[in-house]
């Protein structure tokens, strides 16, 4: 049936990240990476969407779409431009923006770390440095002290597995290292940062008189399936990849269970370091030997990622079995440069959620607007709102109108489906790729 209703209390909104939309800051590792010509289309986050200036217009647009929740980030390098020097104007800026978000009817979920570091932190060795946990925590504490009265919900760290794997194992992202050992060390550190920040946020806000803190991290999850289901090598490879990239990471972050090759930091015990399960879900990988592949003949988006709606529930289910907590889909969306199939993608993923018994409570669509998509630059468009990066003109796409109606109706009926999604078609992967 081409319709569904969402459960009462289910909240829909959108997500962004500071570095991907703000523009104007050259004091972070991604601006530095871009200045060295390492972004595939030559663009830079110093331009991005100019959101740091145009945020009022963006908040208005979000309001007009009826978003109920908004996940946003802070740029650490703006708040602490030099080690130990905190910029009050930057804090005041974020405060004003968050107050406007709340006044527009959205509950904010604030991300403290989303892939970007101040340049001084990157230069000292980022999360490989022995002092990095203390340094990160001091920043995090300044944020909670400054904004804890208006923000109760936090993501400490976005996708630690992606940050560590791309920056320290594949070397495609800053700082460009290719070492398994270093990637694992960084992953362990990020888990320690999360656990200590989890405790700190609860503590600091409780000292401020609040007992409603909700803290977790945003886990990048995929389904890893064997390329040929009957092939024992593919099966083992899929299991190992899932374990190294995903399972050991959530065990460490969520419960302080550091399994090899992660290393348990001193003074960290087992515990429950989450108030909800945060999942960023995009795609499935099919595996032959190690890593990432895309099956032959499967529907794909404009970056070649498989579109696999069932995977969202498979990921949520595996996390729920382990951790039993409310589930927030902290990111889900697709690269669809011409908005040809985004409405269908949204429909199919939310339909999965509507049909599931799992306690999925929130959905943050990635992304509110086209933006600076890391190594892909400006050419991979994930937004509900189109951005002309030259003129900075914002234009809501048809998928934005679909999403607005879906939120308003708290579901999709046959009429809405046929108006927006019924005639949308995906492209298909011509041959099997990757997975080696
Ligand atoms: C996720 C990131 C987010 C965005 C999407 C497409 O891995 O968290 O910043 O780049 O992918």
């Amino acid at each position: 049936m081409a319709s569904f209703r969402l459960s009462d209390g289910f909240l829909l909104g959108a997500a962004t990240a500071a570095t991907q939309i703000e523009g104007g800051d050259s004091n972070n590792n991604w601006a530095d990476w871009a200045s060295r010509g390492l972004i595939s289309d030559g663009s830079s986050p110093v331009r991005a969407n100019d959101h740091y200036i145009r945020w009022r217009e963006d908040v208005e647009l979000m309001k007009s779409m009826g978003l109920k929740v908004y996940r946003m980030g802070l740029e650490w390098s703006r708040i602490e431009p030099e080690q130990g020097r905190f910029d009050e104007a930057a804090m005041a800026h974020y405060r004003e923006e968050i107050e406007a978000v709340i006044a527009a009817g959205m509950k904010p979920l604030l991300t403290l770390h989303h892939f970007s570091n101040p340049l001084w932190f990157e230069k000292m060795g980022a999360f490989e440095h022995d002092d990095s946990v203390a340094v990160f925590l001091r920043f995090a504490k300044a944020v909670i002290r400054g904004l804890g009265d208006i923000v109760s919900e936090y993501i400490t760290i976005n996708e630690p597995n992606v940050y560590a794997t791309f920056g320290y194992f594949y070397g495609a992202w800053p700082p460009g290292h290719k070492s398994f050992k270093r990637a694992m060390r960084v992953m362990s550190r990020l888990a320690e940062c999360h656990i200590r920040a989890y405790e700190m946020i609860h503590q600091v806000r409780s000292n401020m008189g609040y007992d409603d803190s909700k803290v977790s991290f945003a886990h990048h999850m995929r389904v890893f399936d064997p390329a040929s289901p009957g092939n024992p090598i593919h099966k083992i490879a899929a299991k190992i990849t899932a374990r190294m990239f995903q399972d050991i990471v959530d065990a460490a972050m969520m419960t302080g269970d550091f399994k090899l090759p992660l290393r348990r930091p001193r003074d960290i015990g087992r515990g429950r370091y989450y108030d909800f399960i945060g999942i960023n879900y995009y795609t499935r990988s099919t595996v032959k030997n190690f890593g990432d592949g895309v099956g032959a003949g499967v529907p794909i988006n404009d970056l070649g990622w498989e579109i696999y709606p069932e995977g969202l529930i498979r990921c949520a289910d595996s996390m729920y079995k382990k951790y039993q907590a409310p589930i927030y889909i902290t990111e889900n969306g697709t690269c669809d440069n011409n908005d040809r199939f985004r409405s269908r993608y949204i429909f199919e993923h939310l339909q999965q959620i509507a049909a599931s018994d799992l306690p999925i409570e929130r959905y943050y669509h990635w992304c509110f607007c086209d933006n600076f998509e890391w190594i892909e630059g400006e050419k991979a468009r994930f937004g509900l709102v189109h951005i002309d990066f030259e003129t900075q003109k914002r234009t809501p796409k048809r998928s934005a109108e679909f999403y607005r109606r879906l939120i308003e109706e708290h579901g999709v009926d046959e009429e809405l489906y046929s108006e927006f999604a019924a005639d949308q078609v995906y492209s298909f992967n011509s041959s099997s790729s990757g997975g080696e």
Side-chain angles (χ1 to χ4, degrees), residues 16-17 20 71 114-115 158-159 162 173 220 280 282 303 305 331 366 371-374 382:
T16 60
Q20 293 181 272
R71 176 178 168 216
H114 196 130
F115 298 157
N158 181 69
E159 300 190 347
V162 169
W173 285 20
H220 178 99
N280 294 357
Y282 289 90
L303 284 174
W305 303 357
E331 286 180 26
W366 183 274
N371 59 71
F372 174 79
E373 174 51 33
W374 310 117
F382 278 81

mmCIF file of all heavy atoms in Angstrom, residues 16-17 20 71 114-115 158-159 162 173 220 280 282 303 305 331 366 371-374 382, ligand 1:
data_model
loop_
_atom_site.group_PDB
_atom_site.id
_atom_site.type_symbol
_atom_site.label_atom_id
_atom_site.label_comp_id
_atom_site.label_asym_id
_atom_site.label_seq_id
_atom_site.Cartn_x
_atom_site.Cartn_y
_atom_site.Cartn_z
ATOM 1 N N THR A 16 21.740 19.310 10.078
ATOM 2 C CA THR A 16 22.832 19.971 9.348
ATOM 3 C C THR A 16 24.095 19.807 10.191
ATOM 4 O O THR A 16 24.043 19.294 11.305
ATOM 5 C CB THR A 16 22.595 21.490 9.143
ATOM 6 O OG1 THR A 16 22.488 22.120 10.438
ATOM 7 C CG2 THR A 16 21.355 21.798 8.330
ATOM 8 N N ALA A 17 25.226 20.262 9.658
ATOM 9 C CA ALA A 17 26.469 20.315 10.437
ATOM 10 C C ALA A 17 27.134 21.656 10.164
ATOM 11 O O ALA A 17 27.098 22.139 9.026
ATOM 12 C CB ALA A 17 27.403 19.180 10.044
ATOM 13 N N GLN A 20 29.528 22.266 7.197
ATOM 14 C CA GLN A 20 28.956 22.038 5.882
ATOM 15 C C GLN A 20 28.074 23.182 5.398
ATOM 16 O O GLN A 20 27.792 23.271 4.206
ATOM 17 C CB GLN A 20 28.157 20.723 5.893
ATOM 18 C CG GLN A 20 29.076 19.521 6.080
ATOM 19 C CD GLN A 20 28.321 18.196 6.083
ATOM 20 O OE1 GLN A 20 27.861 17.755 7.123
ATOM 21 N NE2 GLN A 20 28.190 17.570 4.934
ATOM 22 N N ARG A 71 18.486 19.115 14.226
ATOM 23 C CA ARG A 71 19.820 18.753 14.700
ATOM 24 C C ARG A 71 20.836 19.673 14.023
ATOM 25 O O ARG A 71 20.889 19.746 12.794
ATOM 26 C CB ARG A 71 20.116 17.286 14.349
ATOM 27 C CG ARG A 71 21.501 16.896 14.730
ATOM 28 C CD ARG A 71 21.844 15.440 14.440
ATOM 29 N NE ARG A 71 23.284 15.322 14.590
ATOM 30 C CZ ARG A 71 24.073 14.565 13.861
ATOM 31 N NH1 ARG A 71 23.579 13.767 12.936
ATOM 32 N NH2 ARG A 71 25.375 14.565 14.057
ATOM 33 N N HIS A 114 31.480 17.308 14.840
ATOM 34 C CA HIS A 114 31.021 16.716 13.578
ATOM 35 C C HIS A 114 32.141 16.839 12.551
ATOM 36 O O HIS A 114 32.118 17.708 11.684
ATOM 37 C CB HIS A 114 29.757 17.433 13.104
ATOM 38 C CG HIS A 114 28.979 16.689 12.039
ATOM 39 N ND1 HIS A 114 27.624 16.454 12.121
ATOM 40 C CD2 HIS A 114 29.369 16.113 10.876
ATOM 41 C CE1 HIS A 114 27.218 15.789 11.043
ATOM 42 N NE2 HIS A 114 28.265 15.568 10.274
ATOM 43 N N PHE A 115 33.147 15.996 12.700
ATOM 44 C CA PHE A 115 34.280 15.847 11.773
ATOM 45 C C PHE A 115 35.278 16.999 11.773
ATOM 46 O O PHE A 115 36.379 16.848 11.251
ATOM 47 C CB PHE A 115 33.825 15.655 10.315
ATOM 48 C CG PHE A 115 32.993 14.428 10.054
ATOM 49 C CD1 PHE A 115 32.135 14.372 8.959
ATOM 50 C CD2 PHE A 115 33.063 13.322 10.881
ATOM 51 C CE1 PHE A 115 31.368 13.244 8.692
ATOM 52 C CE2 PHE A 115 32.302 12.177 10.622
ATOM 53 C CZ PHE A 115 31.447 12.150 9.528
ATOM 54 N N ASN A 158 29.807 12.941 16.181
ATOM 55 C CA ASN A 158 29.163 12.384 15.005
ATOM 56 C C ASN A 158 30.043 11.326 14.351
ATOM 57 O O ASN A 158 31.214 11.585 14.064
ATOM 58 C CB ASN A 158 28.899 13.490 13.980
ATOM 59 C CG ASN A 158 28.202 12.967 12.742
ATOM 60 O OD1 ASN A 158 27.042 12.576 12.799
ATOM 61 N ND2 ASN A 158 28.914 12.920 11.620
ATOM 62 N N GLU A 159 29.499 10.162 14.135
ATOM 63 C CA GLU A 159 30.140 9.109 13.335
ATOM 64 C C GLU A 159 31.629 8.927 13.620
ATOM 65 O O GLU A 159 32.466 9.123 12.734
ATOM 66 C CB GLU A 159 29.926 9.390 11.852
ATOM 67 C CG GLU A 159 28.461 9.429 11.462
ATOM 68 C CD GLU A 159 28.227 9.478 9.952
ATOM 69 O OE1 GLU A 159 29.185 9.733 9.195
ATOM 70 O OE2 GLU A 159 27.079 9.260 9.537
ATOM 71 N N VAL A 162 33.402 6.808 10.983
ATOM 72 C CA VAL A 162 33.693 7.428 9.688
ATOM 73 C C VAL A 162 34.885 8.378 9.831
ATOM 74 O O VAL A 162 35.821 8.367 9.021
ATOM 75 C CB VAL A 162 32.449 8.177 9.151
ATOM 76 C CG1 VAL A 162 32.795 9.034 7.951
ATOM 77 C CG2 VAL A 162 31.354 7.178 8.813
ATOM 78 N N TRP A 173 40.554 11.732 4.024
ATOM 79 C CA TRP A 173 40.087 12.909 4.769
ATOM 80 C C TRP A 173 41.226 13.401 5.649
ATOM 81 O O TRP A 173 42.168 12.652 5.950
ATOM 82 C CB TRP A 173 38.911 12.507 5.682
ATOM 83 C CG TRP A 173 37.607 12.296 4.972
ATOM 84 C CD1 TRP A 173 37.393 12.049 3.643
ATOM 85 C CD2 TRP A 173 36.310 12.304 5.597
ATOM 86 N NE1 TRP A 173 36.044 11.904 3.403
ATOM 87 C CE2 TRP A 173 35.362 12.053 4.581
ATOM 88 C CE3 TRP A 173 35.873 12.498 6.909
ATOM 89 C CZ2 TRP A 173 33.986 12.005 4.838
ATOM 90 C CZ3 TRP A 173 34.511 12.439 7.166
ATOM 91 C CH2 TRP A 173 33.579 12.203 6.132
ATOM 92 N N HIS A 220 27.219 6.003 12.633
ATOM 93 C CA HIS A 220 27.062 5.714 11.209
ATOM 94 C C HIS A 220 26.915 4.209 11.038
ATOM 95 O O HIS A 220 27.842 3.453 11.305
ATOM 96 C CB HIS A 220 28.283 6.199 10.422
ATOM 97 C CG HIS A 220 28.206 5.880 8.958
ATOM 98 N ND1 HIS A 220 27.807 6.803 8.024
ATOM 99 C CD2 HIS A 220 28.433 4.740 8.278
ATOM 100 C CE1 HIS A 220 27.806 6.242 6.828
ATOM 101 N NE2 HIS A 220 28.188 4.980 6.949
ATOM 102 N N ASN A 280 22.686 7.161 12.122
ATOM 103 C CA ASN A 280 22.736 7.782 10.800
ATOM 104 C C ASN A 280 22.716 6.637 9.799
ATOM 105 O O ASN A 280 23.640 5.824 9.779
ATOM 106 C CB ASN A 280 24.039 8.566 10.595
ATOM 107 C CG ASN A 280 24.163 9.774 11.508
ATOM 108 O OD1 ASN A 280 23.248 10.081 12.276
ATOM 109 N ND2 ASN A 280 25.295 10.453 11.422
ATOM 110 N N TYR A 282 22.243 5.397 5.736
ATOM 111 C CA TYR A 282 22.167 5.751 4.325
ATOM 112 C C TYR A 282 22.055 4.563 3.379
ATOM 113 O O TYR A 282 21.367 4.627 2.376
ATOM 114 C CB TYR A 282 23.406 6.577 3.921
ATOM 115 C CG TYR A 282 23.377 7.953 4.514
ATOM 116 C CD1 TYR A 282 23.951 8.200 5.758
ATOM 117 C CD2 TYR A 282 22.750 9.002 3.862
ATOM 118 C CE1 TYR A 282 23.899 9.465 6.331
ATOM 119 C CE2 TYR A 282 22.688 10.262 4.413
ATOM 120 C CZ TYR A 282 23.256 10.492 5.651
ATOM 121 O OH TYR A 282 23.183 11.734 6.210
ATOM 122 N N LEU A 303 25.559 9.197 -5.864
ATOM 123 C CA LEU A 303 26.940 8.870 -5.489
ATOM 124 C C LEU A 303 27.201 7.368 -5.628
ATOM 125 O O LEU A 303 28.242 6.870 -5.219
ATOM 126 C CB LEU A 303 27.231 9.313 -4.043
ATOM 127 C CG LEU A 303 27.447 10.810 -3.803
ATOM 128 C CD1 LEU A 303 27.565 11.101 -2.305
ATOM 129 C CD2 LEU A 303 28.710 11.313 -4.526
ATOM 130 N N TRP A 305 25.512 5.003 -4.073
ATOM 131 C CA TRP A 305 25.192 4.268 -2.842
ATOM 132 C C TRP A 305 23.876 3.527 -3.043
ATOM 133 O O TRP A 305 22.904 4.105 -3.542
ATOM 134 C CB TRP A 305 25.024 5.215 -1.647
ATOM 135 C CG TRP A 305 26.179 6.105 -1.338
ATOM 136 C CD1 TRP A 305 27.403 6.149 -1.966
ATOM 137 C CD2 TRP A 305 26.222 7.107 -0.312
ATOM 138 N NE1 TRP A 305 28.191 7.118 -1.394
ATOM 139 C CE2 TRP A 305 27.498 7.721 -0.388
ATOM 140 C CE3 TRP A 305 25.310 7.553 0.647
ATOM 141 C CZ2 TRP A 305 27.883 8.755 0.470
ATOM 142 C CZ3 TRP A 305 25.696 8.581 1.505
ATOM 143 C CH2 TRP A 305 26.968 9.170 1.420
ATOM 144 N N GLU A 331 20.250 10.906 11.183
ATOM 145 C CA GLU A 331 20.449 11.301 9.785
ATOM 146 C C GLU A 331 19.896 10.207 8.886
ATOM 147 O O GLU A 331 20.090 9.021 9.161
ATOM 148 C CB GLU A 331 21.947 11.454 9.411
ATOM 149 C CG GLU A 331 22.638 12.664 9.949
ATOM 150 C CD GLU A 331 24.116 12.725 9.528
ATOM 151 O OE1 GLU A 331 24.489 12.154 8.489
ATOM 152 O OE2 GLU A 331 24.894 13.334 10.278
ATOM 153 N N TRP A 366 18.553 14.202 6.480
ATOM 154 C CA TRP A 366 19.793 14.818 6.009
ATOM 155 C C TRP A 366 19.641 15.078 4.530
ATOM 156 O O TRP A 366 19.545 14.127 3.777
ATOM 157 C CB TRP A 366 21.024 13.920 6.256
ATOM 158 C CG TRP A 366 22.247 14.656 5.818
ATOM 159 C CD1 TRP A 366 22.771 14.696 4.560
ATOM 160 C CD2 TRP A 366 23.053 15.519 6.627
ATOM 161 N NE1 TRP A 366 23.854 15.532 4.531
ATOM 162 C CE2 TRP A 366 24.040 16.050 5.782
ATOM 163 C CE3 TRP A 366 23.021 15.903 7.980
ATOM 164 C CZ2 TRP A 366 25.011 16.940 6.244
ATOM 165 C CZ3 TRP A 366 23.984 16.779 8.418
ATOM 166 C CH2 TRP A 366 24.970 17.293 7.557
ATOM 167 N N ASN A 371 24.699 21.401 0.562
ATOM 168 C CA ASN A 371 25.778 21.950 1.391
ATOM 169 C C ASN A 371 27.132 21.454 0.924
ATOM 170 O O ASN A 371 27.230 20.767 -0.095
ATOM 171 C CB ASN A 371 25.536 21.567 2.859
ATOM 172 C CG ASN A 371 25.474 20.078 3.037
ATOM 173 O OD1 ASN A 371 26.472 19.387 2.928
ATOM 174 N ND2 ASN A 371 24.274 19.550 3.265
ATOM 175 N N PHE A 372 28.149 21.773 1.680
ATOM 176 C CA PHE A 372 29.506 21.315 1.395
ATOM 177 C C PHE A 372 29.635 19.870 1.879
ATOM 178 O O PHE A 372 29.723 19.612 3.072
ATOM 179 C CB PHE A 372 30.515 22.223 2.111
ATOM 180 C CG PHE A 372 31.929 21.740 1.981
ATOM 181 C CD1 PHE A 372 32.656 21.958 0.821
ATOM 182 C CD2 PHE A 372 32.536 21.039 3.019
ATOM 183 C CE1 PHE A 372 33.953 21.487 0.698
ATOM 184 C CE2 PHE A 372 33.831 20.576 2.910
ATOM 185 C CZ PHE A 372 34.536 20.793 1.743
ATOM 186 N N GLU A 373 29.616 18.927 0.931
ATOM 187 C CA GLU A 373 29.582 17.511 1.289
ATOM 188 C C GLU A 373 31.020 16.960 1.384
ATOM 189 O O GLU A 373 31.453 16.134 0.595
ATOM 190 C CB GLU A 373 28.715 16.753 0.279
ATOM 191 C CG GLU A 373 28.661 15.242 0.396
ATOM 192 C CD GLU A 373 28.346 14.702 1.790
ATOM 193 O OE1 GLU A 373 27.595 15.336 2.537
ATOM 194 O OE2 GLU A 373 28.893 13.636 2.115
ATOM 195 N N TRP A 374 31.782 17.443 2.368
ATOM 196 C CA TRP A 374 33.134 16.945 2.667
ATOM 197 C C TRP A 374 33.946 16.787 1.394
ATOM 198 O O TRP A 374 33.993 17.709 0.593
ATOM 199 C CB TRP A 374 33.044 15.656 3.500
ATOM 200 C CG TRP A 374 32.125 15.838 4.694
ATOM 201 C CD1 TRP A 374 30.950 15.171 4.934
ATOM 202 C CD2 TRP A 374 32.277 16.766 5.802
ATOM 203 N NE1 TRP A 374 30.371 15.627 6.098
ATOM 204 C CE2 TRP A 374 31.160 16.589 6.644
ATOM 205 C CE3 TRP A 374 33.233 17.715 6.156
ATOM 206 C CZ2 TRP A 374 30.982 17.331 7.823
ATOM 207 C CZ3 TRP A 374 33.066 18.456 7.319
ATOM 208 C CH2 TRP A 374 31.958 18.258 8.127
ATOM 209 N N PHE A 382 22.366 16.886 -1.206
ATOM 210 C CA PHE A 382 21.531 16.097 -0.293
ATOM 211 C C PHE A 382 20.342 16.893 0.238
ATOM 212 O O PHE A 382 19.626 16.420 1.118
ATOM 213 C CB PHE A 382 22.359 15.648 0.922
ATOM 214 C CG PHE A 382 23.211 14.414 0.699
ATOM 215 C CD1 PHE A 382 24.444 14.500 0.064
ATOM 216 C CD2 PHE A 382 22.792 13.172 1.154
ATOM 217 C CE1 PHE A 382 25.238 13.372 -0.115
ATOM 218 C CE2 PHE A 382 23.579 12.038 0.977
ATOM 219 C CZ PHE A 382 24.800 12.135 0.334
HETATM 220 C C1 LIG B 1 27.176 11.462 6.975
HETATM 221 C C2 LIG B 1 27.693 12.711 7.654
HETATM 222 C C3 LIG B 1 27.034 13.977 7.158
HETATM 223 C C4 LIG B 1 26.810 13.963 5.672
HETATM 224 C C5 LIG B 1 26.139 12.695 5.227
HETATM 225 C C6 LIG B 1 25.847 12.616 3.758
HETATM 226 O O1 LIG B 1 28.135 10.452 7.032
HETATM 227 O O2 LIG B 1 27.515 12.638 9.038
HETATM 228 O O3 LIG B 1 27.822 15.060 7.581
HETATM 229 O O4 LIG B 1 27.993 14.185 5.017
HETATM 230 O O5 LIG B 1 26.920 11.590 5.612
#
